[in-house]
Amino acid sequence: TLPTNIKPGSKWSYPNIICCKSPDKLNRIYISCEPLSEEVCKAIEEDKIKLRGDMKAFGREFAAKFPNEWHKDDAARIWAFGTAPYGKANILVDQTRAVDYLKEVKGSIIEAFRQITSGGILSDEPLRGVRFNLMDAKIHTDPAHRGPGQVIPATVRACYGSLLSAQPIMYEPMYECQIEVPIDSQNGVFNTLGMVRGEFIEMSDKTDIGIPLCSIKAFIPIVETLKGKDENGKDKGDFIGLLRGETKGKAFAVMKFSHWQKINGNPLIKDSLSNKVIMNIRTRKRMKMDIPSFNDYYDKI
């Protein structure tokens, strides 16, 4: 899974608030988005903060935990967190004032938000660390024209448009890999790390006790440990197979999940590393190979 985030301080010449119309053009949803801090994301993922019935008390508690980021009035108007487990660290906030029929469509807007967080615009992978603000809405008076079939698509499109305007970031999961190898074969380990975008951390040896072994610690993208296609679309072997080949079977590796790490490059720029990763995912999922454009989602008034 490769979650998508948005870059703090993004400076694009796009509208701050994205407007999208429903399929029948009779409803409008206005959305903006901004990044959440890592502290807020971790608190949500670790269930240190949970929504409850008394939202005024929740707002005071939430704002007290994050005084530099949240005002109690904004926190009290949080409608939902994202889709568990991977897209949970996202927030939908109601910032509207006196919108008619908003209560009637609240459920549809939350459902659209959860769809977005479970699969983002770039590669249908979970979203993380995004605050969506519902800034305004124009809801039709006739219940037949404000059902889920109208409100959900409008909200999804508005959220997609806001993400594309905010310079999204791709993250990938990383393994911490501990490799035991004879000293005379350590070069094979470093060759393998270079083939899989590995990041060398440290090395120690046991020569002081008469054992000609060294231990190498490194971080490796989980996707690189699997067989499949590389970022250029070429067949590649799995990490363990490559390691055995480079060390003639003398190395032994133990891997465990470590953390999420940003993929270098702008995912919206062709041939950047993150863009190549996205194209790989879209190929695997049989999605269209053209990343959607902002203009596909923004409706001019």
Side-chain angles (χ1 to χ4, degrees), residues 6 12 16 20 29 46 54-55 57 106 138-139 148 150-151 157 173 175 191-192 201 237 242 258 268 288:
I6 60 176
W12 290 66
N16 292 326
C20 283
I29 301 293
E46 295 170 3
D54 187 354
M55 287 303 294
K106 179 178 178 179
K138 306 297 181 185
I139 309 299
Q150 300 297 330
V151 177
R157 293 182 71 247
Y175 273 145
N191 290 340
T192 307
I201 303 301
L242 294 172
S258 174
L268 301 180
K288 292 182 179 179

Side-chain angles (χ1 to χ4, degrees), residues 122-241:
L122 297 180
S123 56
D124 196 29
E125 294 288 345
L127 205 64
R128 182 180 188 270
V130 184
R131 168 180 166 174
F132 289 101
N133 300 300
L134 177 64
M135 304 304 294
D136 197 3
K138 306 297 181 185
I139 309 299
H140 199 273
T141 57
D142 186 348
H145 293 291
R146 60 171 189 255
Q150 300 297 330
V151 177
I152 290 178
T155 307
V156 167
R157 293 182 71 247
C159 290
Y160 278 166
S162 65
L163 287 173
L164 288 172
S165 71
Q167 197 171 346
I169 299 170
M170 292 295 291
Y171 283 79
E172 63 183 345
M174 302 291 287
Y175 273 145
E176 177 187 306
C177 185
Q178 200 75 36
I179 304 169
E180 299 284 340
V181 65
I183 291 177
D184 60 359
S185 299
Q186 61 179 299
N187 286 341
V189 174
F190 292 115
N191 290 340
T192 307
L193 292 177
M195 297 164 65
V196 297
R197 295 191 287 123
E199 178 184 346
F200 169 74
I201 303 301
E202 62 183 14
M203 181 174 68
S204 60
D205 61 54
K206 300 179 180 179
T207 54
D208 56 333
I209 57 175
I211 301 177
L213 285 177
C214 65
S215 178
I216 298 173
K217 180 180 177 181
F219 292 137
I220 302 171
I222 291 180
V223 68
E224 297 289 347
T225 66
L226 309 172
K227 287 184 178 180
K229 304 283 186 180
D230 62 16
E231 63 270 13
N232 296 313
K234 297 180 180 179
D235 291 328
K236 67 178 182 66
D238 65 289
F239 171 71
I240 296 300

